[in-house]
Amino acid sequence: MGSRLVVLWADLDLGARTVAGEARGLPLAGQVAVACAMVNRAIARHRGELHIAGVVLEPLQFSCWNAGDPNRDVICDLSAADRVYRTALQAFLSALDLAGTPADPTRAATHYWHESIPVPAWARGAPVLARIDGHAFVRVA
């Protein structure tokens, strides 16, 4: 990676759960892309966060962690024995190797949205760096 990132066990677990909550219905490539955006935020120290846990749990950043989101209960109940968890963890581990490198499928994106919704206000004016499995990826400072 272009920058050093310290990853703790909580980061691995929360990263996998976030991938499951945000992208579990996507093919592995789409899950890796979502995970890359998370890792790229941590590398960029987005909003001062130094770890994946801080990035994904920051309020209103990843909808699966929002209070009342039905995905929250699903991802909190996952165990390492669940195929969904294992696939999401595989995607997250792949992102740790890819994010911030020339092989990053998101081209160092830090944010994404599903293209079925209008472009969010926070993404307006940001060039789309990649389109993967129905998601548009951008870099937001």
Side-chain angles (χ1 to χ4, degrees):
M1 286 185 288
S3 177
R4 286 193 96 27
L5 182 66
V6 175
V7 181
L8 307 173
W9 168 249
D11 295 317
L12 294 175
D13 183 59
L14 287 168
R17 290 178 191 282
T18 305
V19 170
E22 297 280 315
R24 71 180 170 272
L26 298 179
L28 185 60
Q31 292 186 40
V32 169
V34 165
C36 280
M38 286 186 269
V39 175
N40 286 331
R41 283 193 200 193
I43 290 170
R45 304 296 191 246
H46 184 72
R47 295 188 177 193
E49 294 297 341
L50 302 175
H51 295 283
I52 297 297
V55 166
V56 301
L57 295 177
E58 182 158 349
L60 305 177
Q61 295 300 300
F62 291 89
S63 62
C64 65
W65 292 110
N66 293 346
D69 189 299
N71 282 310
R72 187 175 180 141
D73 289 339
V74 171
I75 61 177
C76 286
D77 289 342
L78 287 174
S79 77
D82 295 315
R83 181 190 53 78
V84 167
Y85 182 90
R86 291 191 316 268
T87 301
L89 181 59
Q90 177 186 358
F92 185 73
L93 292 171
S94 293
L96 288 173
D97 287 338
L98 295 174
T101 73
D104 179 346
T106 71
R107 299 179 55 214
T110 56
H111 292 71
Y112 60 88
W113 74 92
H114 195 275
E115 293 186 289
S116 66
I117 65 170
V119 176
W122 50 261
R124 289 192 191 119
V128 174
L129 302 173
R131 285 185 161 83
I132 303 166
D133 290 328
H135 288 82
F137 291 84
V138 297
R139 186 163 183 86
V140 177

